[in-house]
Structures are given as C-alpha cells and as structure tokens.
C-alpha cells in the first residue's frame, strides 16, 4: 500500500523550524519529495548563520526520504519564481505549495513604525502571494498543455490574530486576515485547473509564540506541531481534491472548520444621516459579538 503523499513534490516555506519543520518531516514520511525553504532568520526577520533548511533536508535524506534545501526569499517576486522552478527542475514536477514562512514585529498601533509594518506585511502577505502566483501559473500552463486537472494544492497560513484580532499585532493580524481572503478568492479562481486552496489557523508552541503569554504544561503539550501537521499532510495529498476554500483551526485542542463573514441583522436602507443613527446602533447591538483569541465572545 502506498503512503498518503507518495511521489508528490511539496514546497514548504519556513520549514527550518517549528510547524514548517514538522510539516516537512511528516510529509517525507508519507512519501513526499520535499523542498525545504528557509532563510534561517530570527523571529523578527534578522539574519543568522545557522542553515536550518540544510539541517531539515539532511534529516529527511538520512531517514531515507528525498529533500533539497532552498534559501530563496519568498517575499522577493523573482526569488519566489526561482523556488518554484527549483522544485520542478530537481524533482520534475510540483504538486503542493505550503506557505508557512513568517516573522513577528509586535507593537501597538500608536507605536508601530513604518518599517515594522512593511516588514511583516512583506513576509506574510506578499510572501504568500508571490509563491502562489508562480505556482498557479505553472499549474495553469500544465492544465492547458494536457487538458487534465492537475490535482494540486496550495495551503496557506492564517492566524487567530487575523481572524479574531489580537492587541499588539496589527501588522501581523492584517496580513493574516489578508491571507484568509486571498485563500478564498484563489480557491475560486484555480478550481478550473484542479487546484485546491485552503488555509490553516494554527495554535502551536514555537519560537514565534514563546514568551507571548504564560501557558501550563498541558496547554504547551496540546500546542505541539504534531497536532497540526497530520491535517496539512492530508490536505497536501491527492485524496483531498474535494476540499477547497476552507480555513481550519488546528492545534491547542482544536480541529475545526472556520466560518467567515456573513450578513447579520439588517434593516431597510435610510438616506438621512439624522435618522439612521438609532437603526445603526440597533444593528450593532443585535449582531453577534466579536470574539477573543480563544474564540469566546467579548463583552
């Protein structure tokens, strides 16, 4: 019996540590050939000397799998294309793109600098768009050449910070909300080619989340990346072709499908600012409350 991802070529960005590393290792165990992309930078995006991508690729090869390291910057448009091309040139194909790379530059709105905003938006939002663009173009052209759906996958990474909102992460939250919207739109656009596009909202204890808040030992255990990776491996497989345009909450005791914006309470349109106030207030009061980072309604 073949393994779940036997022969599938998968790019995992930010795969040198944390969740991305767990993805790469589990995908390889399920038969995938993995492009381990990582710039080996710090949590805030500054450079380090350690080659984490090489270490993970070597670990996969030592275990009998197939992997190569890749050091392209996903936020560089040309670099993202080189990453896609490297997968095709080395393994002969590309079946899955997992956008996982990210950094943090946390600060409140009043204190955030332009550079802190730009850096996070660049890595997360553009760093998801650029690889998606080049992978999608590759699959579109392949579909046009063969006339056969490609059965390919894009798996993006959103966050509770973008879906629920988290104080001190206005740059990160805006990027992650944008990624959720991008996922839904791309799923509609690429369906014709046989490409599914989904995203995850992960809860994990990694260097990205260490020190943000105190957690119990039990909570830390529930946030191990091993609780997230199996769902991503399945989404990467050929078996998941009927699931697209969804965001899944994983880890931290969660295995759930997220539900997006829907129209709530409504009233007849009013063309008078002097009269519309009470109606607007009533709509706001009757609408479901926003939720906190744990998904609980705010007071």
């Amino acid at each position: 019996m073949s393994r779940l991802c036997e022969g599938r070529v998968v790019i995992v960005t930010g795969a040198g540590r944390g969740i991305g590393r767990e993805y790469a290792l589990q995908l390889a165990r399920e038969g995938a050939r993995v492009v381990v992309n990582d710039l080996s930078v710090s949590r805030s995006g500054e450079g380090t000397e350690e080659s984490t991508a090489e270490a993970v690729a070597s670990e996969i090869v030592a275990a009998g799998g197939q992997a190569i390291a890749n050091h392209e910057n996903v936020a560089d448009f040309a670099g993202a294309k080189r990453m896609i091309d490297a997968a095709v040139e080395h393994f002969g194909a590309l079946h899955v793109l997992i956008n996982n790379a990210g950094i943090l530059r946390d600060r409140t709105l009043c204190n955030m600098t332009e550079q802190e905003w730009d850096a996070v938006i660049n890595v997360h939002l553009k760093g998801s768009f650029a690889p998606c663009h080049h992978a999608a173009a590759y699959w579109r052209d392949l579909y046009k050449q063969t006339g056969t759906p490609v059965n390919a996958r894009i798996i993006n990474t959103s966050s509770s910070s973008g879906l629920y909102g988290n104080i001190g992460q206005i740059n990160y939250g805006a990027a992650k909300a944008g990624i959720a919207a991008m996922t839904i739109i791309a799923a509609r656009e690429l369906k014709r080619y046989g490409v599914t596009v989904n995203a995850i909202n992960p809860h994990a204890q990694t260097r990205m989340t260490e020190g943000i808040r105190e957690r119990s030992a039990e909570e830390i255990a529930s946030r191990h990346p091993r609780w997230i990776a199996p769902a991503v491996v399945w989404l990467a497989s050929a078996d998941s072709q009927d699931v697209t345009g969804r965001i899944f909450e994983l880890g931290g005791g969660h295995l759930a499908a997220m539900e997006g914006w829907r129209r709530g309470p409504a009233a007849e349109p009013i063309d008078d600012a002097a009269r519309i106030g009470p109606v607007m207030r009533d709509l706001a009061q009757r609408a479901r409350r926003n939720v906190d980072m744990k998904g609980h309604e705010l007071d």
Side-chain angles (χ1 to χ4, degrees):
M1 182 180 295
S2 65
R3 292 172 290 178
L4 191 61
C5 291
E6 191 70 57
R8 287 175 76 76
V9 178
V10 184
I11 294 173
V12 184
T13 72
R17 300 182 179 90
I19 302 175
R21 176 179 180 274
E22 191 72 19
Y23 293 164
L25 296 176
Q26 289 202 24
L27 283 160
R29 286 197 291 270
E30 292 292 338
R33 294 169 287 174
V34 185
V35 177
V36 181
N37 167 267
D38 205 289
L39 277 180
S40 302
V41 297
S42 66
R43 185 172 80 164
S44 60
E46 282 115 14
T48 66
E49 296 180 358
E50 180 185 9
S51 180
T52 55
E54 295 285 357
V56 175
S58 297
E59 186 175 349
I60 290 171
V61 172
Q66 297 183 59
I68 60 170
N70 179 275
H71 304 287
E72 296 291 352
N73 180 353
V74 295
D76 178 84
F77 198 70
K81 185 177 190 305
R82 288 193 297 268
M83 180 179 66
I84 302 300
D85 291 345
V88 177
E89 290 167 6
H90 189 87
F91 291 120
L94 175 65
H95 304 101
V96 183
L97 167 65
I98 301 176
N99 288 309
N100 171 74
I103 64 171
L104 288 177
R105 300 280 179 89
D106 292 352
R107 205 176 297 274
T108 59
L109 174 61
C110 292
N111 296 318
M112 183 166 292
T113 66
E114 181 182 13
Q115 194 277 333
E116 289 166 339
W117 170 270
D118 288 347
V120 170
I121 295 296
N122 199 43
V123 173
H124 286 278
L125 195 52
K126 186 179 179 183
S128 294
F129 160 74
C132 280
H133 167 82
H134 294 299
Y138 164 77
W139 288 321
R140 177 202 59 197
D141 293 346
L142 190 60
Y143 173 80
K144 288 182 176 180
Q145 292 168 15
T146 65
T148 303
V150 296
N151 203 10
R153 310 282 178 265
I154 294 174
I155 303 168
N156 292 322
T157 307
S158 187
S159 169
S160 294
S161 183
L163 301 173
Y164 299 151
N166 191 34
I167 293 172
Q169 292 191 315
I170 197 164
N171 48 3
Y172 179 74
K176 292 304 190 181
I179 289 170
M182 184 172 70
T183 297
I184 294 167
I185 295 167
R188 296 174 184 172
E189 293 183 351
L190 301 182
K191 184 177 181 179
R192 72 186 72 177
Y193 308 126
V195 181
T196 69
V197 188
N198 294 285
I200 64 158
N201 167 24
H203 299 275
Q205 190 72 10
T206 67
R207 69 174 185 150
M208 287 278 285
T209 58
E210 286 175 353
I212 292 179
R213 61 175 63 88
E214 291 294 326
R215 304 186 191 278
S216 67
E218 182 180 3
E219 188 178 9
I220 290 172
S222 75
R223 292 169 64 88
H224 191 283
R226 71 186 180 90
W227 294 106
I228 300 169
V232 172
V233 171
W234 181 80
L235 286 171
S237 75
D239 190 46
S240 64
Q241 72 272 11
D242 58 333
V243 177
T244 193
R246 294 296 182 183
I247 300 169
F248 294 94
E249 188 171 19
L250 304 169
H254 301 286
L255 175 54
M258 306 291 293
E259 296 180 342
W261 289 101
R262 295 176 182 273
R263 186 175 293 117
E268 290 296 319
I270 298 172
D271 63 356
D272 182 353
R275 294 190 299 110
I276 202 170
V279 177
M280 294 285 288
R281 182 172 291 107
D282 175 66
L283 293 177
Q285 291 173 347
R286 288 194 288 124
R288 293 177 63 181
R289 301 294 90 192
N290 291 339
V291 298
D292 63 18
M293 286 285 285
K294 294 184 178 180
H296 302 147
E297 287 195 357
L298 295 166
D299 294 333

